[in-house]
Amino acid sequence: MSSVNMSGSSEEESELRRGPWTFEEDSLLTHYITSHGEGRWNVLAKSSGLKRTGKSCRLRWLNYLKPDIKRGNLTPQEQLAILELHSKWGNRWSKIAAELPGRTDNEIKNYWRTRVQKQARQLKIDCNSKRFLETLKHFWMPRLVEKMGQNSSQSQSSSSFSSTTTLNTQNSETPSLLTVPQQVQTPYQVTHDKSSSSICSSDSMKIQSENECYHVDTGNFNVEDFISADILMSDCQEEAIDWINCEDAATFWNVDELWDLKK
DNA sequence: AAAGGTAGCAACCGCTCTGCA
DNA sequence: ATGCAGAGCGGTTGCTACCTT
């Protein structure tokens, strides 16, 4: 049941606009909310003069116009957080978004569907399966962590990210892929327990905040072992190798630079 | 250069949840 | 306890820009 059907006559419905928002509509909505505040979306839709449903106004504001919305690519730490939180909560997008300041549930959902599920499809692995989780845990998460470390060493003097992302993992009810402290705030520091020429052969990595640290266990892991191990079904090994080696791999997580770590 | 295919993202839809009378 | 309206959530659709042939 839609608010349109419930409250509007067919005449009103036919006047309702749909599709992409115009600049004028955006500024009308922004100005209205600036002076009247959020909430009561149906009233807002009528009073503001917008020919939109309350639902549509709410969505436009929350996903696009709200001042604290962060735009642009997800950072490695945000991607890591999404993987981590999704492993705990599943498709609870708004809950996941609540842990990533400035990111919307819609954005995270789109990211999951377009990037993560795509890779799962290519590997012929169900993205909700344990197998795919293993893939994330043993291969991509360490890479993201490494990438975070690389970023941190590149940015300013000591190891801090420019991002102000806060991972709030309180009240986790299920075991997580990573051992994450109750609250981790950047700046982080990423270190390896055992240095190596390749990220994939380190035993473990630590992400350190000022007060705490968490650990990613890579299990003396390397790509070749991973591919040959039972983690992947035999019938998709070939594709997995392609996935690992092919240039397309760089598109995963939208981190071309991430791939350079392997070289 | 043009046509077709694909990926990414904004927006919509339908359902559930919540608060209130 | 019940019904209604608003708000919120997750899934899906459709548009557009980019890529490939």
Side-chain angles (χ1 to χ4, degrees):
Chain A
M1 98 185 124
S2 78
S3 54
V4 175
N5 291 337
M6 291 171 68
S7 60
S9 67
S10 59
E11 206 172 296
E12 283 169 333
E13 279 177 49
S14 65
E15 285 180 9
L16 283 174
R17 272 185 51 76
R18 296 180 57 180
W21 282 64
T22 64
F23 176 79
E24 287 73 24
E25 288 178 309
D26 280 348
S27 45
L28 197 54
L29 180 58
T30 304
H31 280 116
Y32 189 91
I33 290 176
T34 302
S35 44
H36 297 88
E38 292 178 44
R40 298 178 53 101
W41 296 103
N42 286 335
V43 174
L44 179 155
K46 286 194 178 102
S47 316
S48 65
L50 286 161
K51 291 178 166 48
R52 297 275 183 174
T53 64
K55 258 178 135 171
S56 182
C57 294
R58 174 184 164 271
L59 208 65
R60 183 63 179 173
W61 175 253
L62 294 178
N63 285 344
Y64 198 84
L65 298 174
K66 212 173 173 184
D68 56 358
I69 294 293
K70 225 192 268 179
R71 311 212 67 81
N73 293 337
L74 291 161
T75 63
Q77 46 270 55
E78 285 173 324
Q79 293 174 48
L80 183 62
I82 292 168
L83 300 181
E84 160 66 17
L85 295 172
H86 188 274
S87 74
K88 287 195 291 187
W89 296 330
N91 298 356
R92 302 290 307 281
W93 307 118
S94 58
K95 196 170 179 180
I96 294 171
E99 307 297 328
L100 295 164
R103 300 298 185 180
T104 68
D105 54 354
N106 209 33
E107 193 176 11
I108 292 167
K109 181 171 59 183
N110 281 334
Y111 168 74
W112 187 265
R113 294 185 65 83
T114 58
R115 314 290 173 82
V116 181
Q117 286 194 344
K118 176 184 152 192
Q119 293 303 321
R121 271 200 308 276
Q122 285 179 4
L123 283 168
K124 294 180 183 169
I125 304 176
D126 176 6
C127 69
N128 295 315
S129 67
K130 191 165 180 277
R131 197 179 297 274
F132 189 62
L133 275 181
E134 289 295 309
T135 309
L136 296 178
K137 179 183 176 181
H138 290 298
F139 190 70
W140 291 109
M141 282 187 162
R143 279 177 178 247
L144 285 169
V145 171
E146 179 73 6
K147 179 63 185 172
M148 288 160 70
Q150 200 178 57
N151 283 356
S152 69
S153 62
Q154 278 169 3
S155 67
Q156 56 162 322
S157 52
S158 63
S159 46
S160 63
F161 292 122
S162 53
S163 160
T164 55
T165 302
T166 299
L167 300 182
N168 185 347
T169 57
Q170 283 177 322
N171 306 322
S172 61
E173 291 132 15
T174 51
S176 65
L177 289 170
L178 303 175
T179 309
V180 186
Q182 289 299 291
Q183 181 143 8
V184 178
Q185 282 193 305
T186 54
Y188 296 115
Q189 185 170 20
V190 180
T191 59
H192 287 164
D193 283 0
K194 174 180 156 185
S195 63
S196 163
S197 57
S198 161
I199 168 197
C200 295
S201 60
S202 62
D203 282 346
S204 63
M205 285 175 274
K206 274 190 292 191
I207 303 176
Q208 287 186 320
S209 68
E210 281 173 0
N211 305 317
E212 312 191 60
C213 74
Y214 65 91
H215 233 184
V216 177
D217 179 12
T218 63
N220 199 25
F221 181 80
N222 67 56
V223 177
E224 289 72 25
D225 286 350
F226 175 75
I227 292 168
S228 60
D230 285 341
I231 292 169
L232 292 169
M233 292 184 293
S234 56
D235 64 357
C236 65
Q237 275 188 17
E238 202 172 311
E239 291 207 25
I241 292 167
D242 288 340
W243 176 52
I244 300 301
N245 294 319
C246 73
E247 288 183 6
D248 278 354
T251 64
F252 197 22
W253 316 120
N254 194 22
V255 278
D256 302 27
E257 326 90 73
L258 194 62
W259 205 246
D260 294 339
L261 291 165
K262 193 186 161 197
K263 295 170 187 166

